[in-house]
Amino acid sequence: EVYLEESGGGLVQPGGSLRLSCAASGFTFSNYWMHWVRQAPGKGLVWVSRINSDASGTSYADSVKGRFTISRDNAKNMLYLQLNSLRADDTAIYYCARERSFLEVTGLGHWGQGTLVTVSS
Amino acid sequence: DIQMTQSPSTLYASVGDGVAITCRASHSISNWLAWYQQKPGKAPKLLIYKASNLGSGVPSRFSGSGSGTEFTLTISSLQPDDFATYYCQQYNSYSFGQGTTVEIK
């Protein structure tokens, strides 16, 4: 069974940094593109970032470009999101998610339960 | 960037009703569209991929249609478990629609 578990969220001051982790199990992690999606309290889903299977390519939403960095360790089945220069509007639940298929891009078929990041002084 | 616009924002319906949610893309995305269901406090669940393909374990009362810039999610007969928020997502640049909440009339 596919399992994704996020960790690393918490309370951080504006301008601070945080590193989110996502532990993956139940599938061949190195085959799949992975994503981070966030959701501010009471708001909709916002795509944040994506990394391809061998970490050779990444993309970011404009709102986080230059501040957030996605990475992965295929040997450890781990996905990461480094959050720098955090702002109040980065406050959200951050979900890691796996592509439905490793053969083609078809949507996010598996999600973790999310980790809450709160940016406040 | 491709913008996704869903309508309506809120939909009121009764158990047994057929409902439709529309998603419009600002540029053509072929059939690169997914639909998700999200319940309060839970992670989203993939319902439909490539505009019209049913996700794993998704009941057949859910269906998707459309291509290019206009897409529809249809629930043929609402069940109590279907009252939730629904999002479309294009996977050219991955943006989501703003969501449609289906509430009990």
Side-chain angles (χ1 to χ4, degrees):
Chain A
E1 182 185 359
V2 174
Y3 191 68
L4 300 169
E5 183 175 22
E6 303 92 339
S7 60
L11 176 63
V12 60
Q13 292 188 336
S17 297
L18 215 52
R19 188 199 199 198
L20 306 184
S21 299
C22 173
S25 61
F27 64 101
T28 305
F29 180 71
S30 59
N31 283 349
Y32 287 85
W33 289 22
M34 298 293 295
H35 298 251
W36 288 97
V37 175
R38 70 183 182 183
Q39 186 170 36
K43 302 296 185 181
L45 300 172
V46 176
W47 176 80
V48 173
S49 183
R50 172 232 99 201
I51 187 167
N52 63 6
S53 55
D54 64 1
S56 61
T58 59
S59 61
Y60 298 90
D62 287 345
S63 58
V64 307
K65 205 171 292 184
R67 301 188 300 123
F68 291 9
T69 303
I70 191 171
S71 63
R72 66 192 294 161
D73 185 336
N74 285 346
K76 295 182 178 179
N77 291 348
M78 295 292 295
L79 176 71
Y80 304 102
L81 187 68
Q82 178 69 40
L83 289 64
N84 295 332
S85 303
L86 281 162
R87 312 185 300 224
D89 63 357
D90 293 319
T91 294
I93 296 172
Y94 285 74
Y95 294 101
C96 74
R98 195 204 83 177
E99 284 281 348
R100 186 195 69 85
S101 168
F102 67 89
L103 295 173
E104 57 178 338
V105 175
T106 55
L108 306 181
H110 297 273
W111 297 65
Q113 285 308 300
T115 187
L116 177 62
V117 173
T118 303
V119 184
S120 175
S121 54
Chain B
D1 279 1
I2 298 174
Q3 310 300 319
M4 305 301 290
T5 304
Q6 287 182 234
S7 60
S9 295
T10 307
L11 190 159
Y12 297 92
S14 302
V15 172
D17 286 351
V19 300
I21 299 168
T22 297
C23 179
R24 289 186 174 87
S26 59
H27 299 86
S28 176
I29 55 170
S30 183
N31 67 341
W32 288 21
L33 185 102
W35 289 97
Y36 302 87
Q37 177 194 67
Q38 188 181 31
K39 297 180 180 178
K42 299 295 187 182
K45 173 188 175 182
L46 178 66
L47 295 177
I48 301 286
Y49 64 95
K50 290 176 75 173
S52 60
N53 292 269
L54 211 58
S56 176
V58 176
S60 58
R61 63 181 179 271
F62 291 91
S63 63
S65 63
S67 67
T69 61
E70 188 150 337
F71 302 86
T72 302
L73 174 70
T74 301
I75 310 173
S76 60
S77 176
L78 267 175
Q79 298 303 300
D81 193 47
D82 301 338
F83 292 95
T85 299
Y86 295 84
Y87 296 92
C88 62
Q89 182 198 25
Q90 56 85 12
Y91 35 90
N92 181 312
S93 53
Y94 302 106
S95 57
F96 288 90
Q98 80 277 19
T100 296
T101 300
V102 178
E103 295 194 357
I104 298 174
K105 187 187 294 182

